[in-house]
């Protein structure tokens, strides 16, 4: 391996992830740099890690607190596994060396996977929350309690209805009222009695043309209404 002693080579491989992220003491970093100067294989390994490290640099530190942390102690767990493996299998040196190499590959891959996991949860797109418009709801039937929000989509207004007391098994229809008096269907839902239900009801009426909505039971009775 480029004339480098195996031990130095392996030790550097273990530290490459830390080095790529710009961490480690100045002594450790100097030792890695010195090895890299004379070892093309380790330089190639580092080059493979560099894009990952670069992506981590662009992460907004202010958002770190809002995102879940990678599993704590992952590095320690890998090292413990190596130690346990060696303690339980005192075999000849060559076999031991082969196993060490394999385990260190696992350790390195584990570190890269952990770093990749980090990138995944840090840069995943966070969709903008939809703007919700709370609207007042007038309940016309005893036992029903409900609240509603509107979402102004480009294709029409969505009514997000939450409530309890809609009679179990009854099909309720929702219509959105337009300014000119037209009632446009926005879907149906099934009552579930005292259990809470949350329905998203979509209509083709644009928010600016919608003036209210009604929930109508199977008999055509308006059980609740909302005027925007
Ligand atoms: Zn090397």
């Amino acid at each position: 391996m480029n004339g480098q002693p195996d031990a130095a080579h392996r030790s550097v491989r273990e530290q490459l992830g830390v080095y790529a992220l710009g961490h480690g003491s100045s002594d450790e970093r100097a030792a890695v740099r010195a090895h890299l100067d004379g070892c093309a294989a380790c330089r190639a390994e580092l080059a493979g890690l560099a894009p990952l490290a670069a992506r981590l640099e662009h992460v907004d530190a202010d958002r770190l607190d809002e995102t879940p942390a990678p599993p704590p102690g992952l590095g320690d767990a890998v090292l413990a596994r190596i130690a346990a493996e060696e303690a339980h299998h005192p075999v000849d040196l060559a076999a031991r060396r082969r196993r060490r190499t394999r385990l260190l590959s696992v350790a390195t891959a584990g570190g890269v996977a952990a770093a990749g996991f980090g990138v995944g949860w840090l840069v995943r797109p966070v969709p903008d929350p939809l703007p919700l418009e709370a609207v007042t709801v007038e309940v016309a039937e005893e036992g029903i309690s409900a609240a509603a929000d509107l979402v102004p989509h480009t294709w029409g207004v969505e009514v997000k209805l939450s409530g309890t007391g809609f009679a179990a098994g009854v099909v309720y229809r929702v219509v959105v009222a337009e300014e000119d008096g037209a009632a446009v269907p926005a879907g149906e839902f099934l009552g579930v009695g005292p259990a809470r239900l949350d329905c998203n009801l979509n209509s083709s009426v644009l928010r600016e043309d919608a003036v209210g909505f009604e929930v109508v039971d199977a008999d055509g009775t308006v059980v609740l209404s909302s005027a925007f």
Side-chain angles (χ1 to χ4, degrees), residues 131-155:
L132 287 181
E133 178 189 349
V135 290
T136 50
V137 168
E138 300 239 351
V139 175
E141 187 157 295
E142 207 177 333
I144 291 180
S145 139
D149 294 294
L150 305 181
V151 185
H153 294 287
T154 52
W155 39 259

Side-chain angles (χ1 to χ4, degrees), residues 47 59-60 79 106 118 127 133 161 164 175 205 224:
V59 163
D60 181 358
L79 292 176
V106 169
E133 178 189 349
L161 177 70
T164 58
V175 293
V205 182
L224 73 81

Side-chain angles (χ1 to χ4, degrees), residues 115-133:
F117 172 65
V119 169
W121 53 257
L122 288 171
V123 304
R124 76 180 191 281
V126 178
D128 288 333
L130 288 165
L132 287 181
E133 178 189 349

